[in-house]
């Protein structure tokens, strides 16, 4: 049988108190719906997504993926939502029904459910809870066979005592859906067409309802408000932190590291507290990340040390570099091996050669620096004239004295030495001292300003 996945993602999520659709809310750097789609893709299944509230925004968020979007104009319940997909389903396929606001159901759980399905069997994912308030209850007969699901508002006193709850996630054949969905009614407390009512229809047709359970309850949890979102955020962050530690990283406090993307690590990586990873981050062996750093889409090679309170974005860092503390590495920065970026230094579109140093309190933008150069404290590359950007070239072994201003476009040639406090607007020749200062003078009779009343 072919495998198809139907993801219900039409709800508004009013309890989120947000202008953004519920399924687009962020969890560990990804939308809720992204998690569901990513796992469905791994099943090699064709994916249908039922959209409704903010349908265009949801479609746009996944426009590059091969997904069949189906719009549910009126939200009349889960059964009605799946009914919108029936015409799109192939004959004799297995259909897994998922929810865009239940993000953490794992691929292996989905596979386990699909294995229960054939023409005479369907699969249902259930969970045992100490307190099942709010959930539909799984009703079984004396032979322990599932006979129906009763929603909370429709359950009687005895049914409310049942602890086995419905997750909503189930797997059936497309032929079964075509047969059962048109038979659903909305004669219930909600006035909606419940997908769960197909369980009773299956039993009436002699189809066996097989149940499976997830390894962890969090896999089955839906997100309806910011409190539930925050709970799953912390849970997911701990899972991601555990994965890093199993790869060989040392996390000083796993509860105080946030991963909002993909992180890969080599051996003996050390990560201090309050570090945030965004996008794709690659850390080589023996890399040290100090406290309070934010790394976004960066690659850091072996042996490099990032001191505390640094921000790095869209940068490639070589081996055995030193950065920080309090450094900002902006997009386009490339550091060769053994380069050093000191405290309160900002770089942008800067290529910095092997062993070169920008020690402190400097801005280097739109620049190329050769090997073994030294950039003194307070140096600024003036790369912007208000309209256009220009490049500064600094050669191998060049020395730029403290508090120098380099007005681009300009070249500081190999071995050139720039005297401290210079404003350089013309190329500085190699192996020469270049100065650009006004003559110092003292003015006699000068009066110190006084505060005006």
């Amino acid at each position: 049988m072919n495998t198809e996945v139907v993801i219900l993602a039409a709800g508004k999520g009013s309890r989120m108190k947000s202008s953004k659709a519920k399924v687009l809310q962020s969890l560990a750097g990804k939308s809720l719906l992204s998690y569901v789609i990513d796992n469905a893709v791994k099943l090699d299944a064709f994916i249908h997504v039922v959209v409704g509230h903010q349908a265009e925004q949801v479609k746009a968020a996944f426009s590059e993926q091969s997904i069949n979007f189906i719009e549910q104009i009126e939200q009349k319940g889960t059964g009605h939502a799946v009914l919108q997909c029936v015409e799109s389903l192939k004959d004799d396929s297995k259909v897994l029904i998922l929810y865009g606001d239940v993000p953490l159901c794992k691929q292996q759980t989905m596979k386990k459910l699909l294995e229960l399905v054939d023409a005479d069997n369907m699969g249902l994912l259930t969970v045992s809870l100490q307190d099942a308030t709010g959930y539909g209850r799984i009703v079984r007969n004396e032979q322990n066979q599932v006979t129906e699901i009763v929603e909370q508002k429709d359950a009687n006193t005895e049914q409310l005592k049942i602890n086995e709850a419905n997750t909503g996630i189930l797997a059936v054949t497309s032929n079964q859906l075509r047969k059962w969905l048109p038979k659903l009614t909305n004669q219930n407390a909600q006035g909606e067409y419940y997908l769960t009512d197909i369980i009773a229809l299956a039993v009436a047709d002699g189809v066996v309802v097989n149940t499976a359970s997830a390894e962890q309850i969090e896999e089955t949890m839906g997100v309806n408000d910011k409190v539930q979102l925050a709970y799953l955020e912390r849970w997911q962050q701990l899972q991601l932190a555990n994965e890093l530690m199993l790869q060989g990283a040392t996390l000083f406090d796993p509860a105080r590291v946030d991963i909002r993307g993909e992180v890969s690590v080599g051996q003996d990586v050390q990560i201090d507290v309050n570090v945030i990873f965004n996008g794709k981050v690659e850390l080589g062996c023996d890399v040290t990340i100090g406290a309070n750093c934010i790394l976004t889409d960066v690659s850091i090679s072996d042996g490099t040390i990032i001191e505390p309170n640094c921000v790095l974005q869209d940068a490639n860092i070589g081996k055995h570099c030193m950065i920080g503390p309090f450094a900002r590495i902006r997009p386009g920065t490339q550091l060769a091996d053994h380069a050093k970026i000191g405290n309160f230094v900002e770089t942008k579109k800067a290529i910095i050669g092997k062993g070169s140093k920008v020690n402190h309190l400097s801005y280097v933008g739109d620049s190329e620096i050769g090997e073994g150069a030294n950039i003194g404290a307070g140096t600024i590359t003036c790369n912007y004239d208000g309209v256009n950007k220009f490049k500064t070239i600094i050669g191998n072994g060049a020395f730029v004295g403290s508090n120098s201003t380099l007005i681009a476009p300009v070249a500081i040639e190999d071995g050139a030495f720039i005297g401290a406090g210079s404003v350089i607007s013309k190329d500085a020749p190699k192996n020469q001292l270049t100065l650009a200062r006004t003559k110092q003078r003292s003015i006699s009779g000068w009066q110190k300003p006084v505060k005006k009343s």
Side-chain angles (χ1 to χ4, degrees):
M1 285 185 171
N2 294 319
T3 300
E4 299 185 70
V5 174
V6 173
I7 303 172
L8 306 187
K12 181 178 180 180
S14 56
R15 281 181 280 173
M16 277 290 177
K17 307 296 183 184
S18 173
S19 60
K20 185 187 295 184
K22 178 166 67 170
V23 295
L24 296 181
Q25 299 290 321
S26 179
L27 174 68
K30 292 171 55 177
S31 71
L32 300 179
L33 184 54
S34 291
Y35 284 92
V36 187
I37 290 174
D38 289 349
N39 278 323
V41 167
K42 295 174 186 175
L43 298 173
D44 194 26
F46 189 77
I47 300 171
H48 310 270
V49 177
V50 181
V51 294
H53 180 66
Q54 292 190 359
E56 295 308 313
Q57 291 91 321
V58 175
K59 291 178 186 178
F62 302 94
S63 59
E64 296 182 1
Q65 295 183 255
S66 180
I67 295 172
N68 178 35
F69 288 100
I70 300 168
E71 192 160 356
Q72 184 186 20
I73 304 299
E74 295 181 87
Q75 278 75 62
K76 297 181 179 179
T78 51
H80 178 260
V82 179
L83 183 62
Q84 311 309 302
C85 300
V86 165
E87 292 184 3
S88 299
L89 299 175
K90 297 178 182 178
D91 292 335
D92 298 315
S93 61
K94 294 183 179 183
V95 181
L96 177 64
I97 298 173
L98 303 171
Y99 297 81
D101 60 356
V102 182
L104 299 182
C105 186
K106 294 179 180 177
Q107 179 192 1
Q108 54 264 39
T109 303
M110 297 177 184
K111 284 184 174 179
K112 183 165 57 175
L113 205 55
L114 286 165
E115 289 169 357
L116 301 175
V117 179
D118 59 33
D120 300 313
N121 293 271
M122 65 171 291
L124 178 66
L125 191 67
T126 69
V127 60
S128 294
L129 302 170
Q130 288 185 343
D131 180 5
T133 301
Y135 285 81
R137 307 305 205 278
I138 306 299
V139 179
R140 295 178 180 267
N141 60 20
E142 293 179 356
Q143 290 74 42
N144 203 37
Q145 297 170 327
V146 176
T147 59
E148 63 177 325
I149 297 174
V150 179
E151 296 298 328
Q152 169 86 22
K153 292 184 178 181
D154 301 304
N156 60 37
T157 303
E158 288 302 311
Q159 291 167 338
L160 290 173
K161 295 177 182 178
I162 298 172
N163 290 326
E164 186 181 13
N166 173 44
T167 66
I169 297 173
L170 54 84
V172 294
T173 68
S174 55
N175 293 349
Q176 290 165 345
L177 284 175
R178 286 196 179 93
K179 182 178 181 181
W180 297 331
L181 288 176
K183 297 181 180 180
L184 297 180
T185 70
N186 63 349
Q187 303 303 307
N188 50 61
Q190 292 283 88
E192 294 183 348
Y193 296 90
Y194 295 151
L195 179 63
T196 49
D197 286 348
I198 70 171
I199 302 300
L201 295 172
V203 172
D205 282 350
V207 173
V208 178
V209 181
N210 302 294
T211 59
S213 58
E215 291 182 3
Q216 296 159 306
I217 291 176
E218 285 79 6
E219 282 191 63
T220 68
M221 287 185 175
V223 177
N224 294 303
D225 55 38
K226 294 293 176 62
V227 175
Q228 293 173 340
L229 183 63
Y231 175 86
L232 281 189
E233 175 76 29
R234 296 325 317 153
W235 186 84
Q236 177 68 354
Q237 288 297 344
L238 187 57
Q239 310 316 302
L240 297 172
N242 288 341
E243 289 179 14
L244 282 190
M245 291 186 286
L246 291 173
Q247 290 179 45
T250 297
L251 274 58
F252 291 6
D253 184 352
R256 288 194 284 169
V257 171
D258 271 29
I259 299 164
R260 303 169 186 172
E262 301 176 15
V263 181
S264 62
V265 298
Q267 294 181 343
D268 299 312
V269 168
Q270 295 191 59
I271 301 172
D272 211 329
V273 301
N274 300 328
V275 172
I276 299 174
F277 297 105
N278 296 306
K280 186 175 182 180
V281 176
E282 298 175 349
L283 305 179
C285 296
D286 297 299
V287 169
T288 298
I289 309 295
N292 309 315
C293 289
I294 302 175
L295 280 65
T296 303
D297 294 315
V298 296
S299 174
I300 300 175
S301 299
D302 298 351
T304 285
I305 297 174
I306 311 296
E307 297 284 3
N309 302 295
C310 293
V311 178
L312 289 76
Q313 180 181 3
D314 293 321
N316 290 304
I317 311 301
K319 297 179 179 179
H320 303 288
C321 293
M322 294 282 294
I323 297 178
F326 294 98
R328 185 182 181 195
I329 308 301
R330 292 172 58 193
T333 297
Q334 299 180 44
L335 269 58
D337 298 348
H338 299 280
K340 181 177 180 181
I341 302 295
N343 48 294
F344 299 103
V345 169
E346 179 181 350
T347 66
K348 190 270 294 181
K349 285 188 180 178
I351 300 173
I352 298 176
K354 183 177 181 180
S356 289
K357 301 176 181 179
V358 186
N359 279 319
H360 34 234
L361 300 164
S362 295
Y363 169 73
V364 177
D366 293 284
S367 301
E368 292 182 13
I369 300 177
E371 298 183 2
N374 187 89
I375 310 302
T379 295
I380 296 174
T381 58
C382 300
N383 57 326
Y384 184 51
D385 66 0
V387 178
N388 303 297
K389 297 287 183 72
F390 299 97
K391 182 174 285 189
T392 299
I393 306 294
I394 300 175
N396 298 329
F399 185 100
V400 179
S402 297
N403 201 34
S404 293
T405 301
L406 310 179
I407 302 175
V410 71
I412 311 300
E413 297 181 357
D414 293 352
F417 196 108
I418 305 300
S422 294
V423 177
I424 303 298
S425 58
K426 298 179 181 179
D427 292 355
K430 62 182 180 181
N431 301 321
Q432 294 184 29
L433 170 63
T434 298
L435 299 170
R437 303 171 182 159
T438 60
K439 183 177 180 180
Q440 181 174 321
R441 61 191 181 121
S442 299
I443 301 173
S444 61
W446 173 80
Q447 296 293 317
K448 182 178 178 180
V450 295
K451 188 174 182 179
K452 296 181 179 179
S453 60

